[in-house]
Amino acid sequence: MGIVTPGFRGRPRSSGPDLPPGQYLTHDFPVLSAGPTPRVPMDRWEFVITTETSRAHRWTWADMMALPSETPTVDIHCVTKWSKLGTTWQGVSLDTLMSDVDTAADYALVQSYGGYTTNLPLTDLLDGQAWLAYKFDGEDLHPEHGGPARMLIPHLYFWKSAKWVRGIQLRFDNEPGFWETAGYHDYGDPWREQRYQGD
Ligand SMILES: Nc1nc2c(c(=O)[nH]1)N[C@H]1C(S)=C(S)[C@@H](COP(=O)(O)O)O[C@H]1N2
Ligand SMILES: [Mo]
């Protein structure tokens, strides 16, 4: 038998929290917006899921507020390399929104008020991985951070979490969104450091 060092766990304790490769920890909440903050009157706000057969499922703000919500606490990772740990949100699970949607599509193109888009596989919106979030830290989501409502898809780089979300188009093809067209990765897994196309 060799000598066993008591308390040895195989990795140094001083390495801090577990961050995806290339990320650093931030405690503030940076704002990253590719354009101006769109303002949508709440009586005209709607969220629409459109299927590959052009069937539209619509929710008004009142419809959305009437749905059961969840309060996920998650880590978020921006491709510009900041990560923020233990953020708490409130919103409606995409599982709830998709429960009556009949689709054979493989991909989702998420669309925002203001024109921003982002693409991902439909499966990444399901099974407790994604929310339409309308509160952050117990307060109404600030307009700069995507209020009244944004996507929250914390297992992918945060550009996939579209702010001011307006709807989701379900598609057979993986149509690239705003940043994906500009060279960012179609999937964007921070743990595999999929920042750019080809990573
Ligand atoms: N509509 C829209 N959603 C967006 C963006 C944007 O410019 N427009 N930026 C994305 C990027 S790159 C990131 S890192 C996060 C930033 O969210 P935050 O401003 O709340 O930190 O929103 C994402 N969602
Ligand atoms: Mo980002």
Side-chain angles (χ1 to χ4, degrees):
M1 287 289 277
I3 295 166
V4 176
T5 308
F8 181 68
R9 293 285 181 278
R11 62 195 300 272
R13 281 288 173 90
S14 59
S15 66
D18 221 2
L19 288 176
Q23 297 294 110
Y24 67 85
L25 195 59
T26 185
H27 293 285
D28 55 10
F29 195 173
V31 171
L32 277 101
S33 302
T37 296
R39 307 279 166 162
V40 189
M42 295 313 280
D43 58 347
R44 287 178 42 202
W45 185 93
E46 63 171 4
F47 180 76
V48 186
I49 297 178
T50 311
T51 71
E52 70 280 8
T53 61
S54 298
R55 170 112 207 262
H57 299 254
R58 293 172 189 277
W59 292 264
T60 64
W61 187 256
D63 295 335
M64 197 58 75
M65 293 305 104
L67 292 175
S69 69
E70 298 177 1
T71 52
T73 296
V74 295
D75 304 337
I76 54 180
H77 311 289
C78 173
V79 74
T80 64
K81 301 198 168 178
W82 56 266
S83 290
K84 191 171 168 59
L85 304 184
T87 62
T88 300
W89 305 76
Q90 185 180 337
V92 177
S93 168
L94 263 289
D95 294 312
T96 302
L97 297 171
M98 285 295 297
S99 63
D100 289 332
V101 176
D102 189 20
T103 181
D106 293 314
Y107 298 101
L109 185 64
V110 184
Q111 304 172 310
S112 295
Y113 291 99
Y116 184 89
T117 54
T118 187
N119 56 293
L120 69 161
L122 174 56
T123 50
D124 286 84
L125 291 178
L126 305 176
D127 295 323
Q129 297 186 95
W131 296 266
L132 181 141
Y134 49 77
K135 280 181 188 263
F136 174 78
D137 242 353
E139 307 209 334
D140 289 349
L141 188 56
H142 192 280
E144 285 187 327
H145 286 298
R150 74 178 297 162
M151 296 299 298
L152 174 64
I153 314 169
H155 71 289
L156 300 177
Y157 280 123
F158 210 35
W159 90 77
K160 300 285 182 181
S161 294
K163 305 198 279 188
W164 317 295
V165 69
R166 160 170 87 80
I168 298 174
Q169 230 184 62
L170 302 175
R171 311 172 57 101
F172 289 123
D173 61 338
N174 197 9
E175 172 76 13
F178 180 84
W179 286 118
E180 294 83 3
T181 303
Y184 285 84
H185 202 276
D186 272 324
Y187 188 62
D189 179 351
W191 296 97
R192 287 188 278 164
E193 213 169 355
Q194 294 172 334
R195 299 178 191 274
Y196 307 104
Q197 302 287 352
D199 282 350

